[in-house]
Amino acid sequence: MSSVRPASQRDLPALERLLRESFTSSYTHFMPAAYVREWQMGDEPTRLLRRVLNDTGVAIINNAPAGFISCKEGTLAEPWVAPNMQRRGVGTMLLNWAEERLRDRGHDTVTLSCYERNTAALSFFRCMGFSITSRFLSRRVAGGPVKICTMEKPLDGSGGRNWS
């Protein structure tokens, strides 16, 4: 049985574990080592989750969190899927939940940001109908700067523009 539901305080320990595992399995391949070290040693996962929890949906598969996504004011953030659940439809389920929630709140487009070197995520978002609308350098990343892509998708199903 799989579903997406709003996250709650009781989800925090499981979501923090999921976030740390997912970050380690994906970001260590393309982010600067200084950033990875800083992130793994610090309390960023806890701070991040506490900041976005009220706007977060959690995918539940077999009674356990398999991923989560946050959405607020037309923007998606923090789409994370447990490493052992990737390529099983969890990301699609989370994006669909977030897009429906934003549509219900009156948004006609959705945006997100993705590291340019996160090619797996960029490919997934493109398959889900997102287009790159801009690129910029983030200097807020230890060991950076790193290039970030802003992506956009219309929520009416009409497709997106691609400035890449």
Side-chain angles (χ1 to χ4, degrees):
M1 177 80 178
S2 62
S3 63
V4 179
R5 62 162 171 76
S8 70
Q9 288 287 329
R10 70 179 179 275
D11 294 318
L12 278 173
L15 294 182
E16 183 177 340
R17 233 179 355 267
L18 185 154
L19 178 54
R20 286 184 184 278
E21 290 170 4
S22 185
F23 178 91
T24 299
S25 77
S26 61
Y27 277 40
T28 56
H29 303 292
F30 64 86
M31 290 299 285
Y35 175 77
V36 171
R37 235 183 347 270
E38 180 181 282
W39 203 90
Q40 289 174 326
M41 302 302 285
D43 66 343
E44 183 58 24
T46 303
R47 285 193 320 231
L48 183 145
L49 285 165
R50 290 187 190 284
R51 190 171 58 242
V52 302
L53 190 66
N54 291 333
D55 300 302
T56 297
V58 58
I60 304 295
I61 297 181
N62 297 326
N63 297 317
F68 66 92
I69 192 167
S70 299
C71 59
K72 187 175 186 176
E73 299 172 9
T75 302
L76 298 182
E78 313 316 328
W80 293 95
V81 176
N84 67 327
M85 298 305 291
Q86 291 176 359
R87 298 187 185 349
R88 296 183 180 195
V90 175
T92 300
M93 190 168 58
L94 288 166
L95 278 178
N96 289 338
W97 178 87
E99 289 174 12
E100 182 178 332
R101 185 172 172 148
L102 292 171
R103 206 178 292 104
D104 289 348
R105 292 178 177 176
H107 296 279
D108 58 358
T109 60
V110 61
T111 61
L112 60 82
S113 295
C114 185
Y115 293 110
E116 186 174 71
R117 294 189 64 200
N118 190 351
T119 56
L122 285 174
S123 177
F124 170 71
F125 293 132
R126 281 187 171 122
C127 287
M128 294 300 294
F130 285 83
S131 297
I132 295 173
T133 56
S134 67
R135 290 179 170 87
F136 64 94
L137 281 179
S138 173
R139 299 186 190 290
R140 296 176 25 189
V141 173
V146 296
K147 195 174 278 188
I148 296 177
C149 298
T150 302
M151 302 184 85
E152 184 176 281
K153 176 182 178 180
L155 292 176
D156 64 2
S158 65
R161 54 193 171 157
N162 193 345
W163 298 351
S164 49

